[in-house]
Amino acid sequence: MQLRPLVAVLMAIPVALGLSAAPLSAAPRPATVSNPCERLTAGEVQFPTHGADRVTFATAKAYGDIEVLITGCVHADGGYVQEWQTSGFAGRAGFAPPGKMWQDTLYSPTGSFTFTEAFGRANPGTALKYHTLNRNSRWGGERGPTYNQYFEGEGGDADENLWFYMREGDYEQAAVINWNREPDMPTVQGASFAIFLHAGNSPTLGCISSGLSTVTRLLKSAKPGDRIVMGVEPAVFKAGTKTTPAPAAGGADGAGKTQDPQPAILELQPRTIAAAAGAVALLTGVFLLVRRRKHP
């Protein structure tokens, strides 16, 4: 048997057996992502926002995830609409499950918290109480009256040197998240401190981090009492139907990331399995016939 007839036979096998030669399509990827502003308007947010003019969401898909979707919502026409959306990072351990938030756990807290203070290199025009950092700027980590508060002084080993982290790029601009501090709650020594929304766009020790332009934009529009709602989606949102198409990949302060297509998966139906077995048997017969002709 010559090569050309053999190729013709091989190409005819799938057709004869009813097998399609069309390429397999990729499995469908998730097409929706929670739209926090619509969910807030629909009453599908688990935590109270107390009618805040602006509400920022920082949400992850599941516990242990450190990449977050950050969404800015503004109150308008009886509901909330999206102003901007981008990506960022939570603590290196993700969001804290209920009852697990404590110092040095590397968790970010879950819940609804106000913004009342901010700090950084220079005031970008925020209405929040603003601390322009200097070499003596500290955030209290030592147990005592300065715990989880801004102060200026030499500081102890556990106190954060805000000037140092500003020069590193993380605290170029930052909004204080009122976890474990007034006015949201009494301060509990050891229940974690220095939880901020800050620049740097990298995994943190418990803060939320995004690009400098994102934090600056938030500060420029923020007023005391604006809120951030943060946590994993199942903890933040009630069951509902308010979803929108997943954001397309884009630049800073634009849409979030899309998911990569899932690999193609072949569904093996009984007819397909039987046809494949027949093909193997036929190919084996062809191979033996060719071998016999070459080696009498």
Side-chain angles (χ1 to χ4, degrees), residues 111-287:
S112 174
F113 311 105
T114 60
F115 292 123
T116 52
E117 294 183 48
F119 58 82
R121 184 177 295 274
N123 191 335
T126 185
L128 303 178
K129 180 180 178 181
Y130 192 86
H131 305 284
T132 300
L133 299 182
N134 60 69
R135 295 180 183 276
N136 294 317
S137 297
R138 301 288 186 273
W139 197 270
E142 295 284 347
R143 304 293 178 96
T146 60
Y147 186 79
N148 207 16
Q149 304 292 326
Y150 175 88
F151 73 96
E152 295 182 7
E154 184 175 346
D157 291 341
D159 296 325
E160 282 199 8
N161 185 330
L162 303 181
W163 176 263
F164 171 81
Y165 289 110
M166 180 196 75
R167 292 166 64 91
E168 292 289 303
D170 292 329
Y171 293 169
E172 190 74 24
Q173 294 293 352
V176 179
I177 297 171
N178 287 324
W179 157 260
N180 193 32
R181 64 193 307 270
E182 301 287 355
D184 289 17
M185 63 188 76
T187 300
V188 176
Q189 305 285 321
S192 191
F193 66 98
I195 304 298
F196 313 129
L197 171 61
H198 64 76
N201 202 30
S202 61
T204 73
L205 301 182
C207 297
I208 301 297
S209 177
S210 190
L212 175 59
S213 60
T214 297
V215 183
T216 302
R217 177 174 185 168
L218 182 144
L219 290 180
K220 285 182 175 180
S221 62
K223 298 184 298 185
D226 285 351
R227 285 188 168 264
I228 182 168
V229 177
M230 47 199 283
V232 298
E233 288 189 3
V236 169
F237 301 114
K238 302 175 184 178
T241 59
K242 293 294 182 182
T243 57
T244 57
D253 299 334
K257 300 176 181 177
T258 57
Q259 300 222 2
D260 291 333
Q262 301 297 313
I265 300 175
L266 175 63
E267 295 183 3
L268 297 178
Q269 302 297 332
R271 180 174 175 273
T272 304
I273 296 175
V280 171
L282 183 56
L283 287 172
T284 302
V286 172
F287 172 77

Side-chain angles (χ1 to χ4, degrees), residues 58-70 86-96 105-108 197 201-210 230-233 257:
T59 55
K61 289 295 184 183
Y63 288 114
D65 290 351
I66 65 172
E67 293 189 29
V68 297
L69 183 69
I70 306 176
T86 189
S87 59
F89 294 91
R92 295 180 184 276
F95 285 103
T105 59
L106 306 183
Y107 284 130
S108 293
L197 171 61
N201 202 30
S202 61
T204 73
L205 301 182
C207 297
I208 301 297
S209 177
S210 190
M230 47 199 283
V232 298
E233 288 189 3
K257 300 176 181 177

